[in-house]
Amino acid sequence: MPILEHPAYPPATLLCLESLVPCRESQVSMLLSIFGERQQLSFPSIFIYGHTSSGKTYVMKTLLNTLQLPHVFVNCVECFTSRLLLEEILIQLHNGSSETKQASPVPCDTFNDFVRLFKQALTSQNLQDQTVYVVLDRAEQLREMEANVLPAFLRLQELTDRNVTVILLSEIVWEMFRPNTGCFEPFILYFPDYSIGHLQKILSQNHPPEYSADFYSAYINILLGVFYMVCRDLKELQHLAALNFSKYCEPVVRREAKERDTRKLWKNIEPHLKKAMQTVYLREISSSQWERLQCEEEEPGQIKGLSAHAHVELPYYSKFLLIAAYLASYNPARTDKRFFLKHHGKIKKTNFMKKHEKTSNHLLGPKPFPLDRLLAILYSIVDNRVAPTANIFSQHIYCGHDENWTIC
């Protein structure tokens, strides 16, 4: 039974779309509900976020191309200035495709010029009665541009008085985007990481035609059993699956085992997967060099790689809060002016400082510190300006003191 259903699109098209985006049916169904029909007014801006290789870019490209919706797709890393970004949007809108690269018809220096030219482009392309989607991939780069670029894109539908939806794709949360002065809040959609079952299903679809689907699925199951705790990046797992499959097939090719002899196949490939685990994410050697290395009988030297445990990433401000707490715990308060002020003036070395010069603060252990000092150090070590929001205060670690804090 098909999962994706929408009255505006043929069932055959939705069935094709469903087969192209496995394990992302719920997100695609949500996007279809937001998009509505072609002539309906859609949501002004959508913010889609998730970790690397969670299918954000692929799903958006596949959805827009399969349904043949008018859209513009721009990578903000390639268009690293506001002028390049605005002109690239106009170029793709005029050409109707990103494949043809031509100069912008009119230079676009300001966002006011962009709004005027954008409306002209929609009129020339006869897109007044359809929703046009402007997709900005790697949207975190917008934070490095002028302060008015991000708020203007979020309200592009209001500024142009046209049916346009701006879609931001990013790997970081919306709280890292929101300006201190406030802005129009987009609709937020999260793409979770693929589970081990999802990865098994997606990777098993790429089985070679000369082998059965069950044989390749058993190989993927072995591969994920080894690498899932270290690597959950779909692209990296696809690379590892293609790289080591020939070694897995060797006993079958030499007729030493059958496709169902899982134990023999596992014993043959186990040492090679252990070698590959040392170089996950590292491209120190090419694929051909790695295959030659597999053919060697002697053990290669230990290659510096990732830990066998999953890497857990702390939230952005939590990392700086821990650093600030560490600095406040192990440094005396009298040294803050010297360490965290750019123009602190000349500081005399008193006899007291010389007396304790040889005593390491790490040997004395962490000291309690007031909350105001923690926040002052936090504001000085973070590059951008930090607003004292509830999100910051909710991440503090309280350790039982009435007025003082200490690192745990």
Side-chain angles (χ1 to χ4, degrees):
M1 182 177 179
I3 299 176
L4 300 179
E5 295 180 355
H6 198 281
Y9 305 104
T13 303
L14 295 177
L15 193 62
C16 176
L17 176 63
E18 186 177 328
S19 65
L20 294 174
V21 287
C23 308
R24 283 290 178 256
E25 292 86 0
S26 61
Q27 286 77 20
V28 173
S29 179
M30 175 65 71
L31 288 171
L32 287 174
S33 301
I34 298 171
F35 288 176
E37 299 182 11
R38 290 174 177 267
Q39 71 278 7
Q40 291 178 341
L41 194 65
S42 182
F43 206 85
S45 54
I46 303 172
F47 181 82
I48 300 176
Y49 73 102
H51 289 152
T52 303
S53 195
S54 56
K56 305 180 296 295
T57 303
Y58 172 76
V59 167
M60 284 308 307
K61 283 185 176 180
T62 305
L63 175 63
L64 295 172
N65 290 328
T66 304
L67 301 181
Q68 297 181 352
L69 300 174
H71 67 278
V72 171
F73 210 102
V74 182
N75 190 317
C76 295
V77 174
E78 299 174 359
C79 304
F80 51 89
T81 65
S82 59
R83 176 168 180 171
L84 288 175
L85 177 63
L86 300 179
E87 290 184 355
E88 178 64 21
I89 293 174
L90 294 174
I91 290 173
Q92 292 192 27
L93 199 58
H94 276 286
N95 297 334
S97 171
S98 59
E99 301 295 330
T100 308
K101 295 293 182 181
Q102 297 179 2
S104 180
V106 179
C108 186
D109 296 319
T110 65
F111 213 93
N112 287 334
D113 295 337
F114 172 74
V115 170
R116 176 176 53 84
L117 296 172
F118 188 85
K119 294 167 68 174
Q120 293 177 3
L122 292 182
T123 304
S124 63
Q125 297 292 326
N126 295 323
L127 296 175
Q128 304 97 317
D129 300 329
Q130 298 185 53
T131 305
V132 178
Y133 300 92
V134 178
V135 185
L136 303 179
D137 197 9
R138 302 294 297 274
E140 56 267 15
Q141 300 299 319
L142 294 176
R143 302 178 303 162
E144 308 298 328
M145 300 181 186
E146 291 83 352
N148 68 320
V149 173
L150 177 60
F153 270 121
L154 295 174
R155 299 176 57 189
L156 186 60
Q157 186 180 102
E158 177 185 347
L159 295 174
T160 59
D161 195 23
R162 296 292 187 273
N163 192 1
V164 55
T165 296
V166 176
I167 303 175
L168 307 177
L169 306 182
S170 178
E171 296 178 5
I172 61 178
V173 297
W174 169 246
E175 285 72 15
M176 296 292 297
F177 280 80
R178 185 183 290 115
N180 295 333
T181 56
C183 65
F184 181 83
E185 294 289 324
F187 180 88
I188 299 177
L189 180 62
Y190 175 59
F191 272 49
D193 291 340
Y194 289 111
S195 66
I196 188 170
H198 292 162
L199 293 173
Q200 172 82 30
K201 180 179 179 181
I202 295 171
L203 293 173
S204 298
Q205 291 181 343
N206 300 325
H207 71 89
E210 58 270 19
Y211 295 98
S212 65
D214 293 338
F215 176 69
Y216 193 75
S217 179
Y219 164 67
I220 295 299
N221 189 33
I222 292 174
L223 186 80
L224 290 176
V226 175
F227 288 101
Y228 184 72
M229 291 301 295
V230 176
C231 171
R232 304 184 185 186
D233 189 316
L234 178 60
K235 294 179 182 178
E236 185 70 18
L237 289 172
Q238 288 174 334
H239 171 74
L240 291 169
L243 200 61
N244 295 282
F245 183 63
S246 59
K247 198 67 182 178
Y248 182 75
C249 298
E250 277 186 0
V252 179
V253 174
R254 294 196 299 259
R255 297 186 178 181
E256 298 175 357
K258 297 182 180 179
E259 289 189 0
R260 295 188 178 183
D261 294 337
T262 310
R263 186 176 180 83
K264 290 183 179 180
L265 296 172
W266 162 247
K267 283 187 175 182
N268 179 68
I269 199 175
E270 179 185 10
H272 301 280
L273 293 181
K274 288 183 178 179
K275 295 177 189 177
M277 191 161 61
Q278 299 176 7
T279 58
V280 175
Y281 290 112
L282 302 178
R283 294 292 184 265
E284 298 176 333
I285 57 177
S286 64
S287 299
S288 58
Q289 289 174 322
W290 173 253
E291 292 175 358
R292 288 198 300 269
L293 184 64
Q294 285 184 323
C295 296
E296 298 177 1
E297 294 183 359
E298 66 273 11
E299 289 290 330
Q302 181 71 15
I303 303 175
K304 185 178 180 181
L306 296 179
S307 169
H309 300 286
H311 179 67
V312 180
E313 186 72 17
L314 288 174
Y316 180 78
Y317 287 120
S318 295
K319 291 185 285 188
F320 285 100
L321 277 169
L322 285 175
I323 296 172
Y326 176 83
L327 295 173
S329 294
Y330 286 98
N331 291 314
R334 64 177 181 274
T335 62
D336 290 350
K337 184 178 179 181
R338 179 175 55 173
F339 291 154
F340 305 115
L341 288 181
K342 294 182 179 179
H343 307 288
H344 53 70
K346 188 175 182 181
I347 299 178
K348 292 184 179 180
K349 289 186 178 180
T350 62
N351 293 331
F352 177 81
M353 293 180 67
K354 290 181 179 179
K355 181 180 178 181
H356 295 78
E357 194 173 27
K358 296 181 180 179
T359 304
S360 174
N361 289 324
H362 289 80
L363 297 177
L364 301 175
K367 300 293 189 297
F369 53 87
L371 174 61
D372 292 342
R373 186 178 172 217
L374 172 69
L375 294 176
I377 296 177
L378 172 68
Y379 298 153
S380 65
I381 63 177
V382 178
D383 291 335
N384 51 353
R385 190 172 180 179
V386 182
T389 60
N391 186 30
I392 298 294
F393 287 99
S394 64
Q395 300 183 57
H396 294 161
I397 305 174
Y398 187 70
C399 296
H401 298 278
D402 291 337
E403 296 180 354
N404 293 332
W405 299 62
T406 185
I407 188 170
C408 298

